[in-house]
Amino acid sequence: MMVSIMIDDARSYCEHVIYYKSLFYAVNKKGSLAICDVNGIAPLVTLMSPVLPFSVSNADVLYLVASSAELLLVTRYLDLVHDPLVEFASYKTVGFNAFQLDVSSIPKWVEVKSLGDQMLFLGTNSSLCLLASEFSGCQGNSIYFTNDCSEANDDGIHGNHDSGVFNMGDRSIEALPYCTTGYDWSFLPPPVWLTPNPW
């Protein structure tokens, strides 16, 4: 049976939420964290405001990702595209940055330049971090992403099923194999990520 509870102290931390090392971590639009311990009789919430690099304040979407050894904050940047073939403007992903949480002294987000063999999967469902060496056909040091703006948002701008692979090394973006021309993505649901062996 699943039980839902509202934790008042963490109400505004709804940009992204993950379960990591027996705790729930939620991030707000400013990169601050609400750390929720629901293992006791009553939920215990700790608020943390790590020092942020300037680039985080310009991010359009924020994600939390549990990597093999650390908690990551991933920022996504979008640009407005006017496609003459469709009747509406759409958002397109133009880049990502990744940061790891450093709590050794003053809590801060420290930029990560390389993910090594790791690859991140981001989108409308849960974020994932996997090792490319364990999955044939995948490339490490990359962020695989699907669209987070499948419907028109408050200002009427669509996401147009923006998906691809972002290379952390050269910061290039390639289309996912299924994202070829000839498909009308405005009539399809956005894709989601599935793990072959959930843990």
Side-chain angles (χ1 to χ4, degrees):
M1 180 175 72
M2 181 182 292
V3 178
S4 298
I5 57 173
M6 174 63 74
I7 302 174
D8 288 336
D9 291 345
R11 193 180 292 267
S12 66
Y13 291 74
C14 57
E15 183 73 4
H16 198 227
V17 179
I18 64 167
Y19 186 68
Y20 176 64
K21 293 186 176 180
S22 301
L23 300 170
F24 286 96
Y25 286 77
V27 67
N28 67 10
K29 197 68 175 173
K30 298 179 180 179
S32 295
L33 293 172
I35 305 165
C36 305
D37 184 347
V38 295
N39 298 302
I41 296 174
L44 176 63
V45 178
T46 303
L47 301 180
M48 181 187 298
S49 296
V51 177
L52 291 168
F54 175 74
S55 59
V56 175
S57 63
N58 296 324
D60 295 291
V61 187
L62 279 70
Y63 305 90
L64 292 175
V65 185
S67 74
S68 57
E70 59 209 3
L71 181 67
L72 299 177
L73 173 70
V74 180
T75 54
R76 183 173 184 169
Y77 305 91
L78 305 172
D79 202 2
L80 190 60
V81 176
H82 295 276
D83 188 340
L85 300 178
V86 295
E87 297 179 0
F88 51 80
S90 63
Y91 285 121
K92 184 150 184 76
T93 297
V94 294
F96 290 88
N97 284 326
F99 307 87
Q100 72 179 62
L101 182 62
D102 180 359
V103 292
S104 58
S105 54
I106 299 173
K108 57 183 175 291
W109 291 112
V110 179
E111 187 165 8
V112 175
K113 296 293 187 181
S114 173
L115 297 171
D117 187 42
Q118 296 180 121
M119 50 187 179
L120 308 182
F121 293 82
L122 307 176
T124 55
N125 59 330
S126 298
S127 57
L128 301 170
C129 177
L130 301 172
L131 297 178
S133 56
E134 296 179 357
F135 295 89
S136 176
C138 294
Q139 62 186 38
N141 199 31
S142 297
I143 298 173
Y144 290 75
F145 62 94
T146 62
N147 178 47
D148 269 343
C149 303
S150 60
E151 303 296 333
N153 61 20
D154 292 340
D155 56 7
I157 307 301
H158 292 252
N160 202 26
H161 298 287
D162 178 28
S163 302
V165 184
F166 176 77
N167 184 301
M168 288 283 289
D170 61 16
R171 303 191 64 79
S172 63
I173 295 178
E174 295 181 2
L176 289 169
Y178 66 82
C179 293
T180 58
T181 56
Y183 289 91
D184 185 354
W185 292 105
S186 62
F187 297 104
L188 296 176
V192 296
W193 301 115
L194 298 175
T195 52
N197 297 302
W199 49 86

